[in-house]
DNA sequence: TAGTATATGCAAATCATTTGCAATTGCGAT
DNA sequence: ATCGCAATTGCAAATGATTTGCATATACTA
């Protein structure tokens, strides 16, 4: 019943905090090759359940994880595949959605397009 | 180079059109047990590439597909898992996002919450 | 109708994620 | 500080979704 603050968990969370952006399980494993992938999977699940990190689905590839300083959304460039992180006035968007009989807890906006650069 | 309008492809598209909502590959295969799952996968890929249908990621489970009469978004109830489909003023939302140096082509809003009812 | 490129089925491969289990370790209670 | 034990970890194997290779079947074109 008790959740332990193990060294491995600290390392995994550190890696996610340092990286500003999303990481796959493999990304994390590359930075921490000593830690088994299974342990990474289990730790990430734990962090997600305890809302320390967020899961993000951005395409077919597989789940991505990120430590979020503040809630934000994602835009993906169809050309270069780069992911842009941006904040938005969620309350205003929520009003525009006009969802009746539904208690909105979280809004996730995913934008597809291309970098103008 | 030529894309054939085969009977199997027609059947698969029909099933998606009739169903109002999302379907998994297994859902489709259950309705069309005679058609091999691989054929369903390949047909769906083709339809997506040709923008006849949309792919939707709504959770860990796996990819979902839907024939969209008109563009819309999705809300998922954390309790009953039911998916609600709703339209929104995308242009207004787009303005709220304030994405600089990015050519927005498509906005996908995924809402998490619970049914009030 | 014949010829050929495209589509299909079946088996096997691949990829991400999960599960079982034995060995290890963190931490609360002595 | 040491003990006892539940929580954690690693390794191997299982799962589940999706993809690939290849031989056969079929749609469309000429
Ligand atoms: Mn982000
Ligand atoms: Mn829909
Ligand atoms: Zn780009
Ligand atoms: Zn519900």
């Amino acid at each position: 019943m008790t959740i332990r603050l193990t060294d491995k968990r600290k390392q995994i969370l550190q890696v996610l905090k340092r990286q500003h952006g999303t990481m796959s399980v493999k990304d994390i494993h590359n930075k921490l090759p000593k830690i088994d992938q299974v342990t990474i999977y289990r730790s990430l699940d734990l962090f997600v359940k305890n809302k320390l990190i967020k899961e993000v689905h951005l395409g077919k590839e597989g789940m991505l994880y990120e430590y979020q300083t503040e809630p934000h959304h994602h835009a993906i460039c169809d050309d270069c595949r780069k992911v842009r992180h941006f904040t938005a006035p969620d309350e205003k968007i929520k009003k525009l959605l006009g969802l009746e009989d539904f208690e909105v807890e979280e809004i996730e906006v995913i934008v597809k397009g291309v970098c103008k650069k």
Side-chain angles (χ1 to χ4, degrees), chain A:
Chain A
M1 272 290 137
T2 326
I3 291 169
R4 292 182 186 168
L5 229 68
T6 66
D7 186 50
K8 290 170 192 188
R9 286 178 181 167
K10 284 181 206 160
Q11 289 182 60
I12 295 167
L13 198 56
Q14 265 320 305
V15 164
L16 276 168
K17 277 187 184 174
R18 280 188 194 127
Q19 173 91 22
H20 293 286
T22 52
M23 299 183 88
S24 67
V25 168
K26 282 200 172 162
D27 291 338
I28 297 169
H29 190 246
N30 285 338
K31 298 242 178 197
L32 300 170
K34 303 281 187 48
I35 301 178
D36 196 283
Q37 287 214 10
V38 176
T39 300
I40 296 174
Y41 274 107
R42 290 194 271 228
S43 300
L44 292 172
D45 284 352
L46 183 79
F47 298 157
V48 169
K49 281 202 187 84
N50 291 79
K51 298 191 195 299
L52 293 175
I53 64 171
K54 284 264 305 164
E55 288 183 314
V56 196
H57 252 315
L58 295 180
K60 292 197 153 184
E61 302 82 31
M63 194 64 81
L64 298 177
Y65 299 86
E66 71 179 350
Y67 181 85
Q68 281 200 177
T69 304
E70 60 181 322
H72 62 262
H73 306 284
H74 301 97
I76 310 104
C77 173
D78 285 327
D79 287 340
C80 70
R81 294 274 104 201
K82 209 174 67 175
V83 176
R84 192 174 297 231
H85 309 250
F86 64 93
T87 55
D90 288 16
E91 280 307 315
K92 283 183 187 170
I93 292 175
K94 184 171 162 181
K95 284 197 187 94
L96 287 180
L97 301 183
L99 278 166
E100 308 282 336
D101 300 327
F102 195 84
E103 177 70 28
V104 175
E105 274 163 11
E106 191 192 328
I107 295 170
E108 186 185 350
V109 179
I110 297 170
V111 177
K112 306 280 171 65
V114 288
C115 306
K116 274 182 191 160
K117 153 51 196 19

